[in-house]
Amino acid sequence: MSGSRILVVDDEADITELISLYMEREGYLVRATDNGEDAVALAASFRPDLIILDIQLKHMDGFDVCKQVRSVSDVPILFVSCKNDDTDIIHGLTVGGDDYMTKPFSPSQLVARVKAHLRRQTVNDRRRAADEVLRFDRLVIDLPGRTVHVGGKEVFLSTKEFELLVRLAKSPNRAFALDDLYTIVWGHDSMGDTRTLMVHVSNLRKKIEPDPANPTYIVTVRGVGYKFSIKEGSPHV
């Protein structure tokens, strides 16, 4: 986590200098400001991995800074304040803060808190990254890129074909009733019937199955509908 970017926001110069010193000793890249407006701007331009945020600031208090940052980012926000009233602590966490420390505090304890939040954020980022790509043997589904590869070659799906495949692949081996699957992908207000769904399944099989007549991924569940089938132990993320 060395090299992580830390934004320190505090209107007390001595505290800002102390926090920055300890963060830099850990190998973090630090930017600091003493007012709320600059804090919001730096959150966007500096793109910190964690924000250490005081409540009492110039131009805009820490609560408002937190709300503005949280509207566009899930970066960990650690409040530090001389206010130790439960109301302030609860409010800080309610508007989007991840943690709260009251002044005076031990710099080493602050470092430990920062490390814990960065470690947790790293784990969460890895989980999100894993969730964005679904892998099933020869079949790879890239969710943010909205691409599908079979045997290393990209296949082109329509919007509904892609949504249908993702819905099935995210719940492997779960049987979906025709009506339920149609409603999930097309919505309650869509006009049509399950024949539309069956046509899309047929098209999908032609594009992703080695043998569309004998599908191994999208299989029919008699009397129910369809499921995305994977064998136990098959590689998938």
Side-chain angles (χ1 to χ4, degrees):
M1 291 178 293
S2 178
S4 295
R5 298 180 300 276
I6 307 294
L7 175 59
V8 180
V9 188
D10 199 302
D11 66 350
E12 296 183 61
D14 291 344
I15 292 179
T16 298
E17 185 176 344
L18 180 63
I19 293 175
S20 298
L21 175 63
Y22 272 82
M23 294 299 117
E24 288 170 350
R25 283 181 179 175
E26 295 298 323
Y28 301 136
L29 179 62
V30 180
R31 293 288 297 274
T33 183
D34 63 357
N35 73 82
E37 290 181 351
D38 285 350
V40 173
L42 281 169
S45 61
F46 181 53
R47 297 178 65 84
D49 297 295
L50 183 141
I51 299 175
I52 299 172
L53 179 62
D54 190 16
I55 292 176
Q56 295 177 311
L57 300 170
K58 300 174 183 177
H59 308 307
M60 182 188 304
D61 69 25
F63 295 139
D64 286 335
V65 171
C66 182
K67 285 189 285 188
Q68 289 203 30
V69 171
R70 189 56 77 229
S71 68
V72 295
S73 172
D74 62 354
V75 60
I77 296 176
L78 170 57
F79 277 110
V80 291
S81 176
C82 57
K83 294 185 175 184
N84 60 4
D85 184 84
D86 284 349
T87 302
D88 291 311
I89 296 174
I90 292 171
H91 186 53
L93 300 178
T94 300
V95 296
D98 297 280
D99 205 349
Y100 195 110
M101 293 184 68
T102 56
K103 301 175 182 177
F105 51 79
S106 163
S108 58
Q109 184 183 17
L110 175 62
V111 169
R113 295 272 190 101
V114 167
K115 286 183 176 180
H117 283 290
L118 289 174
R119 186 164 51 246
R120 189 176 302 114
Q121 186 74 0
T122 299
V123 171
N124 289 339
D125 288 344
R126 286 174 180 170
R127 287 174 177 168
R128 280 196 291 268
D131 288 342
E132 288 179 343
V133 179
L134 305 177
R135 304 177 190 274
F136 305 94
D137 194 14
R138 298 174 63 253
L139 176 65
V140 179
I141 308 169
D142 182 340
L143 275 64
R146 296 186 72 84
T147 60
V148 174
H149 287 78
V150 178
K153 296 182 179 180
E154 184 174 0
V155 296
F156 297 92
L157 306 184
S158 70
T159 299
K160 288 304 181 191
E161 287 170 354
F162 183 85
E163 291 175 1
L164 177 58
L165 177 60
V166 170
R167 177 64 272 180
L168 290 167
K170 277 192 169 184
S171 301
N173 295 328
R174 172 186 167 184
F176 286 88
L178 295 178
D179 288 339
D180 291 342
L181 194 54
Y182 181 84
T183 299
I184 291 170
V185 177
W186 275 265
H188 287 283
D189 298 329
S190 298
M191 299 299 293
D193 57 31
T194 54
R195 286 174 295 183
T196 301
L197 170 63
M198 289 186 278
V199 170
H200 278 72
V201 168
S202 176
N203 290 339
L204 266 177
R205 284 172 170 166
K206 292 174 183 176
K207 294 179 178 181
I208 69 171
E209 299 282 1
D211 181 3
N214 297 285
T216 57
Y217 287 124
I218 303 176
V219 301
T220 300
V221 181
R222 289 182 180 275
V224 181
Y226 301 106
K227 72 176 181 179
F228 189 91
S229 179
I230 61 170
K231 296 178 180 179
E232 188 172 348
S234 296
H236 66 278
V237 175

